[in-house]
Amino acid sequence: MSPPRRLAVTGAALAALAAGLLTVMPAAHAAPEHSGVQADFNGDGYDDLAIGAPLADVGGEQNSGVVTVLYGSSGGLSAGRRAVVHQASPGVAGAAEESDFFGSAMASADLDGDGYTDLAVGAYREAVGDKSMRGSTTVLWGGPDGLSGGSVLPLPSHLEAESMIGRGVATGDFNRDGHTDVTVTGRIGVYTYYGPVERDGTPLRRVHERFGSSYTAIAGDLSGDGAADRLYPYGVDGDSAGSISVLRWTGTDRYTTTDLTAADGDAGSIGDIDGDGYGDLVLGDTPDPSQYREGGHRGGQITVWYGGPEGPDPDQRPTVIHQDTPGVPGAAEANDAFGFSVSVGDADGDGYADVAVGAPGEDLGGLRDAGSVTVLYGSADGLTTTGSRSYHQDTSGVPGAAETDDRFGESVRLADVTGDGLADLTAGAPDENDYGAVWVLRGASSGVSTDGVFNLSARGAGLTTSGQGWFGTALATAAELPRTAGDDFNGDGYRDTAVGAPGAEVDGRAAAGAVTVLYGGPSGPSAGRGQTITQSSPGVPGGPEAGDRFGASVASTDLDGDGFADLVVGAPGEDVGTAPDRGMVTVVWGGPRGLSGAASVPLTAAVLGYGGDGADCRLGTDLTATGGPSYDRAELLVAGNCATASLHGPFGRDGSPSGSHGESGTPSVEGAASGDPDNDRSADHFLLSAKVPGLGQIYVNPGDAAPGLPRPIPADASSAALGDVNADGFADLVAGAPNDPGEAFPDGHLGGQITIWYGGPGGIGSSDAPDLVLHQDTPGIPGEAAAGDAFGASVALGDIDGDGIDDIVAGVPGKDVSGRESAGSVVVIPNGGTSGPYVPGSFTISQDTSYVPGAAEDGDAFGASVRLADMDGDGRADLVAGAPGENAQGGVWFFRGHGSGSSSALDRYDSYSIMGGKVGVPTSHGTGWSAELAP
């Protein structure tokens, strides 16, 4: 078997490298691939695939190099949804020149913070002036039409020839500031560019880090702190597999370096293989053992170094797997290059990351270097060989045929390009028919499948090659997703739900209140994965007192910027000093083990912009929070009887915000919602202020920078939510007004109604009339309006059917069902695309619905709270509905999102309930468990 083929360099370059790295490394491998969109260049909600062909010709310039982008969709990839980008493309800086090798290394991330993924592309042989092979890195910018235009990352003018900058590229948030950074490697060390990166290529700052010759970079979170750790394998004399060190951020721009002295490898990827909340490092180590290098295994091997709070323990004994390991297909032979490429992602959806291992030097039936890929599966015990399988061009279902020197598996990538929540396997064979090809095998619950394999060659992509094209040499790695899900408290990639029980008795104190967190997972939430928090829980301030009503409101977002969502809990009945019912707001901090530790938010007169003592203010009557990449900062809106304020992050661990803005002039605010209907990356606030008991006036404040007081919208409401229900890219406001019409509410409708305003460039103004009003007498809405139904008492928005557009759910807790008074129901109104809600497709759910557990009973109030969130990681929002009156203890019902654009938007055969008594909430009468769900 021939030795692994590396990217060719000149003899002079090899001489220059002799003292550093002994072999030129394969294309860069970076952060882990796991559920969630990571490389969405056009913002359509599906991951895209970027493929490098560094030897493709452009305009007659041989080996200039191109990048082909295949855009993802619900049907996967297709040759018809592609774009070819190079240095002669419009708006791309530089010029296509001979032997630039543009596309030899790539990594994707949203570098400018506009919500679209960008692509960093290395051209390590780029000549600058008279400096041959100085190298460069170009950022191609994402947008609604995909990648367009590009800027070169700056380098110092004194940089020498043959620096080979751009040979390796990796992305991630290296300093945990919420902005994605990019690092590039070369012969003279590493340049790191800290984001955000401006559209002209200017970063916030650039740092030159001297690590010796390094031609690949690996990035991902090994310590669970929300910052991407970095590794730059570099060669040392007598060891062609290099030296491995972990560069870990420790705060205030300080880094610590940990040497994994027993580790070797020149390819790597990071992901959580054992499901403990910490990233694990997989290294590919391909050189066969020789007299110059001890250890290793014939044909190559991979090693797994398991992460922890301080990153990988250098003294651990890593898992070592090779082709002679029991359970691994094939047999180890010299120069198989097992581990030449590796990628980590969850292909079977069990919550444990799996590993794809390329062996491009594998011989098949006498065909030298035909190549293969092996997939190994993760588990609670770590990486296992159980169920492992090898794939190549002679595998049934894989198009083509194995041939000599195909080198199938020289590049591999695990990423979800079909939007089904399962990582798909992409394998490149850059020598297929000389010009190269890629294959995409879909992920499945049983593992990687050969059903419906997608295959594309360089010729099929429209590329021109004068000889070899090396199409598929590099597959763009994606930055590890920052843990920006506003409700993922333990950072496991699944959304969690907080359930309030303000009436719960704690330590004998009536209505002290409690909150239960139901953690998401591959099978959805369960009572066994619940965590109940009260003011008697360790570290929670205040202490339980009768009437505190801790849990009367709940919200979540990442307030302290550590990458984990935090839980915010309101206790509006809390007495503070001599001020009765002043109210209190508590933050419980998220982390890799879930929620622990807490602090009280200092709601001082200065923070609130209010001069009274706060008696009967009931601060925390409602809460809403925003944050994540769509916003410039985290923000918490605290509503109360006498004052309302927005508090700005990042928050300190003592609960103090970085700033605040009083929402003065809004009397008796009892509800709040936040969102961004004008797409200015600043949260607009919608305050629901009671004019008479049970009725509300909506006030709007388009961000805290707006002058004057919040302005009233001519409508009533007591509940509200925001989301995009008409597919125009702007958040829309859906407000519920559940009360019957009366003297103070003349424009209402019998049984309640919901009102919809569509967002747009100007947001939602105080004079804007609603775009749509729906009630139970609207044709297509199920049910018949009756007094006291309370249609719209709760509302939630989310994408139930996975079509990329939000659907609407409205609670009707006062609905009589089968003669049972106030048994309650929920109405689901699916979207209709750009036309907004598809009212004729609406349907209703109650406890008398055939597939819903339980039975409708008087006073259940099913639908008093509703929430839509993807809790099982399948890419579709699941419905959580609360019935606080259920059996005097309260309960929640879980319904899986279902279909793809179907009006039958919930899985009717997989619903279940969780009772308050099963998660540790006291079952005395009137706990109110599930009266409140985090929005």
Side-chain angles (χ1 to χ4, degrees):
M1 300 177 187
S2 64
R5 190 261 295 131
R6 307 287 183 176
L7 291 178
V9 295
T10 65
L14 286 173
L17 296 174
L21 191 65
L22 300 185
T23 56
V24 178
M25 297 301 173
H29 301 273
E33 314 288 348
H34 44 80
S35 61
V37 178
Q38 294 178 279
D40 186 6
F41 303 123
N42 60 357
D44 66 353
Y46 295 98
D47 268 312
D48 307 317
L49 176 65
I51 305 165
L55 296 192
D57 302 340
V58 177
E61 298 290 341
Q62 296 183 8
N63 303 337
S64 176
V66 305
V67 172
T68 299
V69 179
L70 301 178
Y71 292 104
S73 71
S74 59
L77 303 176
S78 74
R81 287 173 51 85
R82 73 175 190 272
V84 176
V85 187
H86 43 69
Q87 288 178 293
S89 296
V92 177
E97 300 165 311
E98 183 177 348
S99 297
D100 281 345
F101 282 30
F102 182 82
S104 55
M106 299 179 293
S108 58
D110 181 9
L111 295 176
D112 59 352
D114 66 351
Y116 296 96
T117 306
D118 311 306
L119 183 67
V121 183
Y124 76 97
R125 289 175 61 99
E126 175 96 36
V128 178
D130 60 353
K131 299 175 180 178
S132 63
M133 292 198 297
R134 194 211 65 171
S136 69
T137 305
T138 301
V139 178
L140 304 175
W141 301 108
D145 296 322
L147 293 178
S148 177
S151 307
V152 176
L153 294 175
L155 288 169
S157 57
H158 61 75
L159 204 61
E160 299 176 352
E162 298 185 354
S163 292
M164 295 186 179
I165 296 297
R167 185 61 193 89
V169 185
T171 52
D173 184 0
F174 304 141
N175 58 354
R176 211 175 69 183
D177 65 351
H179 300 290
T180 308
D181 314 308
V182 58
T183 187
V184 298
T185 67
R187 185 179 64 84
I188 48 76
V190 170
Y191 282 92
T192 299
Y193 301 83
Y194 289 92
V197 179
E198 300 294 334
R199 280 282 175 138
D200 63 358
T202 303
L204 184 66
R205 60 191 176 95
R206 180 190 70 200
V207 176
H208 181 207
E209 296 163 308
R210 300 180 182 276
F211 290 101
S213 298
S214 182
Y215 289 94
T216 191
I218 307 165
D221 187 2
L222 294 164
S223 58
D225 63 356
D229 306 310
R230 288 174 285 160
L231 299 93
Y232 304 106
Y234 56 91
V236 295
D237 290 342
D239 184 355
S240 57
S243 177
I244 308 294
S245 298
V246 179
L247 190 66
R248 186 169 66 88
W249 184 75
T250 56
T252 61
D253 289 333
R254 296 192 304 270
Y255 294 86
T256 182
T257 300
T258 301
D259 294 329
L260 301 180
T261 54
D264 276 309
D266 51 17
S269 188
I270 295 171
D272 188 2
I273 294 170
D274 56 2
D276 65 351
Y278 300 102
D280 307 311
L281 170 65
V282 181
L283 292 172
D285 183 12
T286 59
D288 290 319
S290 69
Q291 59 180 326
Y292 303 107
R293 178 178 171 275
E294 297 180 359
H297 193 276
R298 183 177 57 180
Q301 65 184 26
I302 63 168
T303 56
V304 183
W305 295 78
Y306 294 96
E310 304 299 323
D313 181 353
D315 294 329
Q316 70 177 276
R317 295 185 63 181
T319 298
V320 180
I321 296 176
H322 43 73
Q323 287 183 288
D324 282 339
T325 301
V328 176
E333 301 164 296
N335 298 318
D336 279 346
F338 182 83
F340 188 94
S341 58
V342 294
S343 185
V344 179
D346 187 1
D348 58 2
D350 64 354
Y352 301 102
D354 311 311
V355 180
V357 185
E362 178 81 11
D363 294 353
L364 297 173
L367 300 172
R368 179 175 51 85
D369 295 350
S372 68
V373 175
T374 299
V375 178
L376 307 163
Y377 291 92
S379 71
D381 296 323
L383 193 62
T384 175
T385 62
T386 301
S388 63
R389 187 179 175 188
S390 180
Y391 303 85
H392 45 74
Q393 288 190 73
D394 280 348
T395 299
S396 176
V398 177
E403 300 166 300
T404 297
D405 291 329
D406 278 346
R407 298 191 60 78
F408 183 90
E410 181 156 315
S411 58
V412 293
R413 181 177 186 255
L414 282 171
D416 179 14
V417 296
T418 58
D420 63 358
L422 305 175
D424 308 304
L425 169 64
T426 302
D431 285 345
E432 169 76 6
N433 297 330
D434 286 335
Y435 41 81
V438 297
W439 288 255
V440 180
L441 289 72
R442 289 180 180 248
S445 59
S446 58
V448 172
S449 170
T450 57
D451 293 336
V453 177
F454 171 77
N455 171 231
L456 182 67
S457 69
R459 298 290 171 85
L463 305 189
T464 301
T465 61
S466 53
Q468 290 178 308
W470 287 3
F471 178 75
T473 293
L475 302 172
T477 56
E480 181 175 16
L481 275 177
R483 295 188 183 93
T484 52
D487 46 17
D488 183 3
F489 301 119
N490 57 358
D492 65 354
Y494 296 94
R495 299 180 65 181
D496 311 315
T497 287
V499 184
E505 179 181 297
V506 179
D507 297 341
R509 296 168 174 85
V515 174
T516 299
V517 174
L518 301 177
Y519 288 96
S523 301
S526 69
R529 286 171 54 83
Q531 176 185 8
T532 294
I533 300 169
T534 71
Q535 287 181 294
S536 65
S537 297
V540 177
E545 299 166 312
D548 280 348
R549 296 187 61 78
F550 181 85
S553 59
V554 287
S556 59
T557 193
D558 181 10
L559 290 176
D560 60 354
D562 68 350
F564 296 90
D566 309 304
L567 174 67
V568 190
V569 184
E574 180 83 22
D575 297 341
V576 179
T578 60
D581 292 338
R582 186 179 189 276
M584 179 178 180
V585 173
T586 301
V587 180
V588 187
W589 305 108
R593 295 293 183 268
L595 292 164
S596 64
S600 174
V601 176
L603 299 177
T604 62
V607 168
L608 297 171
Y610 176 75
D613 66 359
D616 199 40
C617 200
R618 297 187 177 273
L619 296 169
T621 293
D622 203 8
L623 302 165
T624 183
T626 53
S630 298
Y631 295 87
D632 287 328
R633 64 189 177 197
E635 191 166 311
L636 173 66
L637 189 62
V638 179
N641 220 13
C642 59
T644 296
S646 59
L647 313 179
H648 316 152
F651 280 55
R653 278 282 174 151
D654 62 354
S656 59
S658 295
S660 63
H661 176 81
E663 303 278 355
S664 57
T666 49
S668 302
V669 174
E670 294 187 353
S674 294
D676 188 12
D678 54 1
N679 276 355
D680 67 352
R681 295 175 61 84
S682 175
D684 297 2
H685 307 146
F686 299 88
L687 311 176
L688 313 180
S689 177
K691 296 188 295 186
V692 296
L695 303 179
Q697 172 72 59
I698 306 176
Y699 288 80
V700 58
N701 185 351
D704 58 24
L709 301 178
R711 301 178 299 279
I713 295 176
D716 296 273
S718 61
S719 64
L722 287 101
D724 186 4
V725 300
N726 63 349
D728 66 353
F730 294 91
D732 311 308
L733 173 66
V734 178
N739 287 80
D740 297 310
E743 181 178 349
F745 188 32
D747 297 325
H749 194 278
L750 183 71
Q753 64 186 31
I754 62 173
T755 310
I756 302 171
W757 288 262
Y758 295 133
I764 298 171
S766 60
S767 61
D768 290 347
D771 294 283
L772 189 62
V773 178
L774 301 175
H775 44 75
Q776 291 180 96
D777 284 340
T778 301
I781 298 291
E784 181 177 344
D789 279 348
F791 179 83
S794 58
V795 292
L797 278 68
D799 183 11
I800 302 174
D801 53 9
D803 64 356
I805 313 169
D806 286 335
D807 310 293
I808 301 173
V809 169
V812 197
K815 191 73 174 177
D816 295 348
V817 179
S818 303
R820 305 295 186 179
E821 294 184 358
S822 299
S825 66
V826 170
V827 173
V828 179
I829 308 171
N831 69 74
T834 57
S835 59
Y838 179 62
V839 176
S842 303
F843 58 97
T844 189
I845 303 168
S846 74
Q847 287 191 72
D848 274 4
T849 302
S850 61
Y851 56 88
V852 177
E857 300 166 304
D858 290 342
D860 280 347
F862 182 85
S865 58
V866 291
R867 183 168 193 261
L868 288 171
D870 178 15
M871 296 190 67
D872 59 4
D874 68 353
R876 302 179 179 92
D878 310 305
L879 169 62
V880 181
E886 175 73 14
N887 296 333
Q889 60 175 301
V892 296
W893 278 252
F894 178 78
F895 305 85
R896 293 185 190 277
H898 182 61
S900 180
S902 169
S903 61
S904 179
L906 292 173
D907 187 342
R908 304 187 179 197
Y909 302 98
D910 193 7
S911 60
Y912 56 92
S913 61
I914 301 173
M915 296 297 107
K918 295 295 186 181
V919 290
V921 175
T923 57
S924 59
H925 181 71
T927 65
W929 193 73
S930 80
E932 177 75 9
L933 297 173

